Amino acid sequence: MNSPAPNDREKVVSKLPGWLRKNLKVRAAQHGIEIQAAVEQGIRDWCNLASTTATIDTSGADSFSTFLPPGQWEDFRQTTTDRRVSLIQGLAQSVQLWIDANPAPDVARPEVTRRIVVCNQKGGVGKTAITAGLGEALAEDSNSLHPVRVAKALTKALRASEPQTADAAQDDDLLDIENLPGPGQRVLLVDFDPQCHLTNQLGATPLPMNGDSLTNHMAGDPKGDLRELIVSVDEDTFAGRLHLLPACHDAFLLDVRLSAVRAREAALERALAPLEGDYDVIIVDCPPSLGLSMDAAAYYGRRRDDERPGQSGALIVVQAEDSSADAYDLLTTQIDDLRGDLQVDIDYLGIVVNLYDSRRGYIATSSLQGWVDIKDPRVVGLIGDLKEQKEAVRVKQPLLSYAPKSQQAIGMRALAREVL
């Protein structure tokens, strides 16, 4: 989070061990302050101590530069001389003093488990990729920095009326990237699609037809505890914060089985409610359908009495082409009918334009403009059609593990921060 020196600061150069420099960058980002401000405060506090603090291991220290108020570095040099420690040791102690005085903030947890329903009755728009990428981005480590596209990319995309090369588009996006701590959320991904795409893409195994499943729990015929079916996704990367409830092909029969269930709109909520206390966010990857299962998913995402607007609801995935607009109209009509019939509030969390490529010309750019013009719900994500997502699917790994610095991963993190 370094920035150019203002007129009232001067550049100073010393050394710090790499591990300490990394800890400083992370902690400063967690508190949303500039590194130079953190170092300035640390040096001031260290100089005001009655004596030096514990010795820091500075082996392997390499160049470190920052900007300090005029005169502070000279006063610091004099203090290190008086205390008979090296400049490098004094700076290391100062930085560690600031880190110790500013512990990592607690991860912000919602009072009510958020429920995000990723939907569109049109197949092939990439709902599964968005479900997985959003969940991965929300679950990333809050004590590590990850590249995020923090500025709005939509304006730039719309300005690009002429097709551009993929390299040029990526170079343009790099101007908007900042390294930020992950949200650190506890996330459950629910594969609600009988095709089991989410389950397969994340390297899990679909549940057997003769065993227990989410379908059985929704139909009122459970064969055990739903928790026993949940699997952890990539423990090395997400450290137990990201889980998956795999799908079973028996979900092809869900609409038929739901037709015999009382209050069938609440069937998904009855099944998942016992799990909610374990998670901050539950994301449901819906099937390309407008049947009873979609009613149950939309109802699950409704706003509850103790919940603020925009915390839970429907996230609609589309592409920048005409058939997505037709499917969007059908989906929103179904949700609006459900709102009226059951007298519930179902919020739209936004539109994600997926698999976008301005090189496809007028169809893509004009369609994107059409989505942006809707305003309510607004476009909250723009994800490019690049190779890394397809590669991650092929090797059955999470995108943010396989290609954490790719433009698609950076876009998923931007989407996560829009939805948070």
Side-chain angles (χ1 to χ4, degrees):
M1 299 183 67
N2 274 323
S3 61
N7 295 332
D8 61 344
R9 286 180 177 265
E10 58 185 8
K11 184 176 182 178
V12 297
V13 179
S14 183
K15 291 185 175 181
L16 271 182
W19 63 268
L20 185 56
R21 186 168 61 251
K22 177 182 177 181
N23 290 348
L24 172 63
K25 289 176 64 177
V26 171
R27 193 59 53 81
Q30 288 173 329
H31 287 276
I33 69 171
E34 299 287 349
I35 289 176
Q36 62 191 25
V39 176
E40 175 189 344
Q41 185 62 53
I43 288 176
R44 183 183 301 117
D45 292 343
W46 185 82
C47 289
N48 289 333
L49 293 174
S51 62
T52 58
T53 58
T55 300
I56 303 292
D57 181 4
T58 60
S59 57
D62 52 19
S63 181
F64 173 79
S65 62
T66 188
F67 302 98
L68 297 175
Q72 186 181 40
W73 188 247
E74 289 305 314
D75 292 342
F76 174 65
R77 291 172 66 99
Q78 183 59 53
T79 303
T80 60
T81 299
D82 293 342
R83 294 180 178 175
R84 299 180 181 179
V85 299
S86 67
L87 275 171
I88 297 174
Q89 181 62 216
L91 180 60
Q93 291 184 17
S94 299
V95 168
Q96 189 60 57
L97 182 66
W98 182 85
I99 291 174
D100 292 342
N102 294 271
D106 293 334
V107 172
R109 310 229 179 257
E111 294 182 4
V112 178
T113 299
R114 303 183 64 189
R115 301 155 325 281
I116 300 174
V117 178
V118 181
C119 52
N120 190 335
Q121 63 102 13
K122 183 180 184 299
V125 296
K127 294 186 295 294
T128 297
I130 296 301
T131 299
L134 174 60
E136 293 160 26
L138 289 171
E140 282 193 309
D141 185 9
S142 62
N143 291 310
S144 297
L145 300 183
H146 314 273
V148 182
R149 189 175 62 221
V150 293
K152 298 289 185 185
L154 295 178
T155 301
K156 286 205 272 185
L158 290 171
R159 283 205 309 264
S161 56
E162 296 298 327
Q164 55 182 321
T165 67
D167 290 341
Q170 290 187 10
D171 289 342
D172 192 44
D173 279 344
L174 288 174
L175 299 175
D176 297 319
I177 294 172
E178 185 174 342
N179 290 318
L180 296 174
Q185 300 285 285
R186 301 166 301 186
V187 179
L188 175 64
L189 303 176
V190 177
D191 192 347
F192 196 42
D193 187 341
Q195 299 173 92
C196 305
H197 290 321
L198 180 62
T199 301
N200 291 322
Q201 286 186 19
L202 293 178
T205 302
L207 299 171
M209 288 286 288
N210 59 351
D212 202 8
S213 67
L214 177 59
T215 299
N216 288 336
H217 284 256
M218 292 180 63
D221 185 28
K223 297 182 180 180
D225 188 339
L226 206 56
R227 284 185 178 85
E228 296 176 358
L229 306 179
I230 293 173
V231 296
S232 185
V233 177
D234 194 348
E235 286 274 354
D236 290 342
T237 300
F238 301 104
R241 291 182 299 273
L242 182 63
H243 291 167
L244 168 70
L245 177 57
C248 177
H249 293 301
D250 69 355
F252 279 114
L253 305 173
L254 180 58
D255 279 8
V256 174
R257 296 182 69 180
L258 284 180
S259 64
V261 174
R262 292 186 60 189
R264 53 181 176 261
E265 293 86 0
L268 182 60
E269 179 162 320
R270 288 195 297 269
L272 296 181
L275 307 177
E276 291 181 3
D278 299 334
Y279 299 99
D280 301 309
V281 184
I282 295 178
I283 307 178
V284 180
D285 182 27
C286 293
S289 165
L290 293 177
L292 298 178
S293 56
M294 187 60 224
D295 279 349
Y299 183 84
Y300 183 58
R302 80 192 189 287
R303 189 195 315 160
R304 295 177 180 171
D305 292 340
D306 50 355
E307 197 170 20
R308 290 185 292 109
Q311 295 298 290
S312 297
L315 185 67
I316 303 175
V317 181
V318 301
Q319 287 181 287
E321 42 77 42
D322 294 340
S323 61
S324 277
D326 296 334
Y328 170 83
D329 289 340
L330 291 172
L331 174 64
T332 53
T333 297
Q334 179 177 5
I335 291 176
D336 289 344
D337 287 346
L338 196 64
R339 283 169 161 173
D341 292 344
L342 300 181
Q343 293 297 297
V344 294
D345 293 313
I346 303 174
D347 296 330
Y348 291 112
L349 301 182
I351 297 170
V352 181
V353 182
N354 192 30
L355 301 172
Y356 179 73
D357 187 348
S358 64
R359 293 175 297 175
R360 295 186 178 121
Y362 174 74
I363 292 296
T365 57
S366 62
S367 295
L368 175 60
Q369 182 65 68
W371 293 118
V372 172
D373 287 344
I374 290 177
K375 305 301 184 185
D376 184 17
R378 66 185 179 88
V379 172
V380 293
L382 179 65
I383 307 297
D385 185 9
L386 300 171
K387 64 184 179 65
E388 286 81 6
Q389 177 65 53
K390 298 180 181 69
E391 292 173 350
V393 170
R394 173 67 63 87
V395 298
K396 298 184 182 299
Q397 290 184 19
L399 171 66
L400 273 65
S401 302
Y402 174 78
K405 295 183 180 179
S406 67
Q407 289 301 303
Q408 286 168 315
I410 290 168
M412 293 295 185
R413 296 187 186 103
L415 170 61
R417 280 160 174 78
E418 287 287 338
V419 171
L420 274 175

